[in-house]
Amino acid sequence: LSDTCQIPGTSSANFTCSASTKSSLSNYLYVFILGQLLLGVGGTPLYTLGTAFIDDSVPKHKSSLYIGFGYAMSLLGPAIGYVLGGQILNIYIDIQIPERQDTTYAVMHQDDPRWLGAWWIPFLACFFLIWLLIIPFSCFPKHLPGTAKVRSEKVSETHNDGSEWLVEAKNIGKNIKDFPVALLILLKNPVLMSLILASSSESLVATGFATFLPKFIENQFGKTPSFSATLGGLVLIPAAALGQIISGILVSQCKMDCKSIIKFMIGTCSAGLLLHTVFLFTKCGNDPFAGVSETYNGTGTLYNLTAPCNANCQCLLSVYYPVCGRDKVRYFSPCFAGCTSHLVDNMKKTYHNCSCIGIPKRGNASEDFLYEAVPGKCATQCKFLPLFLTTFFFAVVFTFMAVTPTTVAILRCVPDKQRSFALGVQSVFLRLLGTIPGPILFGVAIDNSCILWDIDECKSKGACWVYDNERMAYMLMGISAACKVITIIFVVMAACLYKPPPASAALPEKHAEMESAVHT
């Protein structure tokens, strides 16, 4: 099989469609699902029991500081994963690039759209590293020294709906049979549910961008997948960590109570909403693509890769190998560009005698004698990448400045004995309404912006080759803005619904806790 234009009768490029057979490789999808399930089972207690353990062991106004640093450190792993993972993608999935008679694969490199990186190497490395953490985690006691004194100095800020009295009077939480009643108490707490729904909306946006920001950068600004993943990691992770640390310090230094924390969240979410409009100002139009965004030098029609200049070339739609012509137009493959010959010099391939490629509009005329097309996409003319990365960095900072305050507000607005349970309920809602539908919703939006699908001669639909950049930007902006508005609405509801406990009720409780600590 050749990637160049073949003269009729010199080769057989007939494509025969056979009965579709389901590959056994699709069964490995369930292995990935099981792996994600196990990751969730192992990681969730760290963010529920671990966070409550921190809050239980430090003074009230310092808990936000420790939780903020704890959450920020939890992003260190993804930061390393993004950066190193992006570099590992430069390694071929089978380590050694296969040698094939197909000339399109003879010089395959990272810019090739069919390149598959070695995604499995980080999983293998993390397997051994995680096992090393079992020993230090198993050495922690049930309570740190001084916990009793810290508890005695805390004043309850539980939402005044009678739940705290009910939990203490009936001693709810000591038995597994109390699970339905304990769950119902939390679900009936309007402040807690408003904060949970607000954090779920934010989580939807965060996980969506964490998954698809590299694809957005790759398509909007013409970068390679590995470089786009690295850029995405360098923006998302430091910004998220910085936002959580800053908010933790502010809440701690200003000694904010529960009401003030919720008001602080309104400000950070509003700033994040304004900064997310960066998609409107940094969107890039599509680069010229023959047969997709423009015709073949005035011949042929849009959204039709076949034109008079390549009608007799027997080109296959299943072979996507983009080349950049000397006219700065991208072509689906050397065959669709009408190229009949190629040369390989120092592992660099060039194509010649291309009937579909026009004369360059400007540039050095002597370059015409060197090549007519080269493998890969044409260099993008969009210069908005620095502006986009800078603005989006601060948008992520303000977005994650609400994470630590949300956790602290949840810990304060529920009865003391239900703090871990409240974080567990929040974790369930985050998954069901945020982290699970987020990537799905963003994926559907990005698929809707596709203008050229991988559809072979058998009409089998594969991946998307080309996206409408402006449509993609508008879709992502619409989703993020809608979620931000929903977040602000629920945070405002939490601020309006929150009722602090009477001061007269908090003082006796403090004395009771001090007496209990003395007896202990």
Side-chain angles (χ1 to χ4, degrees):
L1 178 64
S2 175
D3 59 346
T4 55
C5 178
Q6 299 299 306
I7 301 174
T10 61
S11 65
S12 177
N14 296 327
F15 195 95
T16 304
C17 295
S18 58
S20 60
T21 57
K22 186 178 181 181
S23 173
S24 60
L25 293 177
S26 61
N27 294 327
Y28 285 98
L29 171 65
Y30 302 103
V31 178
F32 282 96
I33 294 176
L34 177 62
Q36 293 294 325
L37 178 64
L38 294 176
L39 285 174
V41 171
T44 299
L46 187 63
Y47 293 95
T48 54
L49 302 178
T51 303
F53 183 82
I54 293 174
D55 183 67
D56 201 39
S57 306
V58 299
K60 183 179 70 173
H61 291 301
K62 290 186 178 180
S63 65
S64 61
L65 181 63
Y66 286 97
I67 292 173
F69 273 99
Y71 280 178
M73 291 302 102
S74 69
L75 295 171
L76 182 61
I80 297 174
Y82 260 113
V83 177
L84 295 184
Q87 299 304 315
I88 290 175
L89 289 178
N90 290 324
I91 303 174
Y92 190 66
I93 188 171
D94 294 329
I95 303 300
Q96 183 177 4
I97 302 177
E99 295 182 0
R100 305 187 180 185
Q101 295 180 352
D102 181 1
T103 58
T104 64
Y105 281 86
V107 289
M108 187 168 65
H109 49 83
Q110 291 89 344
D111 294 337
D112 195 305
R114 296 161 299 183
W115 179 273
L116 293 175
W119 56 267
W120 53 271
I121 293 180
F123 283 93
L124 192 62
C126 290
F127 168 77
F128 295 102
L129 293 176
I130 290 174
W131 273 95
L132 296 178
L133 297 175
I134 293 179
I135 296 177
F137 267 110
S138 62
C139 295
F140 279 93
K142 184 177 181 180
H143 298 289
L144 293 179
T147 299
K149 182 177 182 298
V150 170
R151 284 181 175 179
S152 65
E153 295 175 349
K154 290 184 178 180
V155 178
S156 174
E157 293 186 71
T158 305
H159 173 59
N160 188 22
D161 60 351
S163 59
E164 187 171 25
W165 175 86
L166 182 62
V167 171
E168 293 291 340
K170 296 188 177 182
N171 202 19
I172 295 175
K174 292 292 185 180
N175 197 306
I176 189 64
K177 295 180 180 179
D178 296 334
F179 177 81
V181 178
L183 178 61
L184 184 61
I185 291 175
L186 292 179
L187 295 178
K188 291 173 65 177
N189 187 327
V191 180
L192 172 65
M193 295 310 299
S194 296
L195 292 174
I196 287 178
L197 293 175
S199 61
S200 298
S201 179
E202 287 289 87
S203 177
L204 188 149
V205 177
T207 54
F209 279 118
T211 306
F212 291 104
L213 181 62
K215 179 175 281 292
F216 179 82
I217 295 175
E218 174 187 351
N219 288 277
Q220 288 282 336
F221 306 107
K223 303 302 179 182
T224 62
S226 61
F227 186 65
S228 299
T230 302
L231 281 180
L234 292 176
V235 170
L236 287 172
I237 305 303
L242 183 62
Q244 293 179 344
I245 292 174
I246 291 175
S247 61
I249 293 175
L250 290 176
V251 172
S252 176
Q253 293 298 318
C254 298
K255 296 183 178 181
M256 298 182 187
D257 56 15
C258 190
K259 187 89 169 182
S260 300
I261 290 174
I262 298 175
K263 291 180 179 178
F264 174 75
M265 292 166 56
I266 297 175
T268 59
C269 293
S270 300
L273 173 61
L274 293 177
L275 289 172
H276 268 78
T277 57
V278 65
F279 289 96
L280 298 179
F281 306 107
T282 59
K283 63 182 184 298
C284 301
N286 285 74
D287 294 327
F289 195 136
V292 177
S293 61
E294 63 177 49
T295 60
Y296 288 84
N297 296 313
T299 63
T301 59
L302 290 178
Y303 305 108
N304 185 3
L305 296 175
T306 303
C309 61
N310 59 28
N312 298 323
C313 288
Q314 307 180 51
C315 302
L316 296 178
L317 293 172
S318 57
V319 179
Y320 178 57
Y321 187 63
V323 294
C324 179
R326 62 182 178 181
D327 54 357
K328 305 303 179 184
V329 175
R330 190 199 317 180
Y331 295 85
F332 188 86
S333 68
C335 182
F336 279 100
C339 302
T340 58
S341 61
H342 70 273
L343 294 175
V344 178
D345 183 18
N346 293 328
M347 298 299 291
K348 294 183 179 180
K349 199 173 188 180
T350 57
Y351 294 92
H352 305 270
N353 302 322
C354 304
S355 59
C356 295
I357 297 178
I359 301 174
K361 298 179 181 179
R362 60 178 180 225
N364 189 355
S366 62
E367 190 179 7
D368 297 350
F369 299 98
L370 299 178
Y371 72 92
E372 289 190 44
V374 292
K377 302 176 182 178
C378 299
T380 181
Q381 301 300 316
C382 184
K383 306 300 181 182
F384 291 133
L385 181 59
L387 176 62
F388 171 78
L389 293 179
T390 303
T391 309
F392 194 74
F393 178 89
F394 288 103
V396 176
V397 168
F398 279 99
T399 296
F400 278 82
M401 282 182 68
V403 174
T404 301
T406 300
T407 303
V408 175
I410 288 176
L411 292 172
R412 294 188 184 181
C413 74
V414 299
D416 184 69
K417 293 182 178 180
Q418 289 195 301
R419 290 177 302 162
S420 297
F421 193 19
L423 292 178
V425 172
Q426 183 203 25
S427 180
V428 172
F429 275 89
L430 284 180
R431 275 27 174 209
L432 294 179
L433 302 179
T435 57
I436 293 177
I440 296 175
L441 183 60
F442 272 68
V444 171
I446 289 178
D447 283 348
N448 284 335
S449 64
C450 181
I451 56 178
L452 181 61
W453 287 95
D454 175 16
I455 301 179
D456 60 20
E457 285 69 21
C458 296
K459 304 302 179 182
S460 298
K461 190 176 182 180
C464 179
W465 294 132
V466 183
Y467 295 91
D468 185 337
N469 288 342
E470 290 194 3
R471 181 176 175 82
M472 180 188 293
Y474 284 127
M475 294 287 284
L476 297 187
M477 170 62 196
I479 295 175
S480 59
C483 291
K484 287 288 183 181
V485 171
I486 293 173
T487 297
I488 294 174
I489 291 174
F490 279 113
V491 175
V492 171
M493 288 177 57
C496 296
L497 295 173
Y498 175 71
K499 297 179 182 178
S504 58
L507 189 60
E509 179 184 352
K510 181 176 180 180
H511 287 308
E513 290 180 351
M514 292 181 65
E515 292 178 2
S516 176
V518 171
H519 289 302
T520 302

